[in-house]
Amino acid sequence: MTLTLPAPRVIDPASVPVLRWGVIGTGIAGNFVNALHAHTAQRVVGVSARDAAKTRAFADEHGIGAVYTDSSALIANPEIDVVYIATPHPLHHDLALEAIAAGKHVLIEKPIAMSASEAGEMTAAGRAAGVLVMEAMWTRYLPQSDIIRQVLAAGVLGEVHLVRADFGFSMPFLPAHRMWNAALGGGALLDAGVYPISFVSSVIGAPSSVTAHGAMTSTGVDARADLLLPVAGGATGLASTSMVTSMPVTAEILGKAGRLQVLGPFFAPSGLTLTTGSLGAEESVTWTDETLTLHEGMSCQATAFAAYVAEGRVESPVHDHAETVSVMATIDEARRQVAAIGHLIA
C-alpha cells in the first residue's frame, strides 16, 4: 500500500461572514493586512498607531479608510467588529481588556501577553463578555497544521516519544531595538520561542516540568534558551530559540511507528515529510504547500477567526484559552530559569 498524507481540510473564505477589522499597531500588521485583503473577504476599516504620519502612510498603502490618533477612539467605534492588536508585547494586556470591555472580539499578536497571569486575565474577561479572544498563533490555522492533526488522530506515528522544534536567528546587538529592550518585551523566548513551545504543546500538551538553559544580555533579556519539556504521558518536548544562533527553523514529531517532519520555516506555509517503516525498509512521502507563500498564511487565521465568531465561540477550538495560558506559563518559567543562570553574552 502506497504511503500517503491526507488532504488538508481548509475553511472556504467565502463561507464565513465579512467582519470589519480595526488594527492597532503597524509593524507585523502590514503582513497580516496584506494577507487578509489578498486571500479573504475580510476588510480592515480603521488603523491606529503612535506615529500619525506612519499610520496615515500605512492606511494609504493598504486602502484603509479611517485613521485614528488614539487607540481608544478606534476601539469605541461601533462600526468595528474585531480589534487586531499588533503593538509591542507590553501593551497587549491593557488594549485587549479595553477592547473586550467595549464588546469587541480581539485577535492579539503572539505572545498574547507578558505573562501567564496577564493571559489568564484577558481570556477570562473575554469569556465573561462573550467575545472571541484569540492569540494570533497563525501556525495553528495553516493547511499543514490540519494535516498534522489528522496524522496524529489516525495514529500513523504510533506512540509519540519526542517532539522537537526550533526558531533562532542571529541579529545585530542593538540595545534600543525592541528585541533587545526589556521595557518593550524583548528577548528570544517571547518573540520567537513562543513558536516552538506552542508547537510542542500542540502535539503533546502541557509539560509536567520545565528545564531551561540559556544566556542573558546586558540589557536584561534572554538571548537564547533551550527547553526540556517532558509530559506526564512519557513523551518529551525539546524547544530551542535564539537571537544569536542561526537555526533551521524546523519541527519534528517522532513516534514508535514513524516520524513527521515539518519543513522550514515550520511556523509558516512550508511542507511535511512523513516517514514510516522499520530501519532499512522505510518509506517516505512529502507534501508541500503550493497555495500560500510565507506571510500569506496569516490569512488562514483571519478566515478561522470569522468562522468562530459566526459559531458564537469565545476561544479557538484548535488553540484554546487553557493552552494559550499554559504556553505563557512555560515561557514564564523558562525566562525565570535563564535569568537565574546569569550568563551574559552581550
Side-chain angles (χ1 to χ4, degrees):
M1 184 175 179
T2 303
L3 186 64
T4 61
L5 280 164
R9 301 163 299 188
V10 296
I11 304 172
D12 180 358
S15 70
V16 303
V18 177
L19 302 177
R20 299 164 298 181
W21 296 67
V23 171
I24 302 178
T26 56
I28 188 67
N31 291 326
F32 176 73
V33 176
N34 279 336
L36 185 147
H37 285 173
H39 295 282
T40 80
Q42 306 300 309
R43 284 297 175 264
V44 176
V45 299
V47 60
S48 173
R50 289 173 295 179
D51 188 308
K54 288 182 178 179
T55 307
R56 170 51 66 186
F58 184 94
D60 291 343
E61 178 184 356
H62 297 285
I64 300 171
V67 173
Y68 298 84
T69 55
D70 100 69
S71 57
S72 292
L74 180 149
I75 290 170
N77 187 344
E79 300 301 313
I80 289 175
D81 305 308
V82 186
V83 176
Y84 168 60
I85 298 171
T87 62
H89 315 331
L91 301 178
H92 290 182
H93 172 265
D94 289 355
L95 286 171
L97 291 182
E98 183 180 356
I100 291 166
K104 309 297 186 184
H105 305 288
V106 286
L107 178 65
I108 307 144
E109 261 308 325
K110 54 79 201 160
I112 189 172
M114 287 294 293
S115 67
S117 175
E118 285 190 355
E121 185 180 358
M122 293 155 68
T123 54
R127 183 175 296 278
V131 297
L132 176 60
V133 174
M134 196 168 101
E135 182 180 44
M137 183 50 68
W138 54 295
T139 307
R140 298 291 181 98
Y141 309 97
L142 297 174
Q144 67 205 36
S145 298
D146 184 68
I147 296 175
I148 293 170
R149 287 189 287 267
Q150 291 185 65
V151 169
L152 292 171
V156 175
L157 304 181
E159 182 181 357
V160 172
H161 295 154
L162 179 65
V163 182
R164 56 191 182 203
D166 68 83
F167 186 9
F169 42 82
S170 183
M171 65 179 294
F173 178 58
L174 302 171
H177 190 282
R178 68 171 187 85
M179 293 287 291
W180 303 96
N181 189 325
L184 295 178
L189 279 161
L190 283 171
D191 202 83
V194 65
Y195 282 109
I197 294 169
S198 183
F199 182 85
V200 169
S201 174
S202 73
V203 179
I204 58 175
S208 56
S209 64
V210 176
T211 303
H213 192 276
M216 299 290 290
T217 74
S218 57
T219 56
V221 302
D222 53 283
R224 59 179 176 84
D226 302 299
L227 284 67
L228 177 66
L229 304 169
V231 300
T236 300
L238 298 174
S240 293
T241 188
S242 180
M243 302 190 297
V244 294
T245 312
S246 178
M247 294 180 174
V249 196
T250 57
E252 196 166 18
I253 307 168
L254 302 100
K256 183 176 181 179
R259 62 185 181 273
L260 186 64
Q261 182 184 20
V262 189
L263 308 181
F266 78 87
F267 60 81
S270 56
L272 304 166
T273 296
L274 171 65
T275 302
T276 62
S278 57
L279 184 64
E282 291 183 335
E283 184 180 4
S284 294
V285 61
T286 296
W287 172 90
T288 56
D289 191 334
E290 298 178 349
T291 62
L292 298 167
T293 59
L294 186 62
H295 290 108
E296 288 179 339
M298 289 182 164
S299 64
C300 299
Q301 74 176 347
T303 297
F305 192 99
Y308 302 156
V309 168
E311 294 165 1
R313 296 183 183 272
V314 296
E315 60 186 329
S316 165
V318 299
H319 187 207
D320 64 24
H321 290 167
E323 187 187 4
T324 301
V325 175
S326 170
V327 168
M328 286 308 308
T330 297
I331 293 173
D332 286 351
E333 179 58 18
R335 293 177 74 203
R336 186 194 69 78
Q337 291 184 27
V338 172
I341 294 169
H343 177 53
L344 294 178
I345 64 167

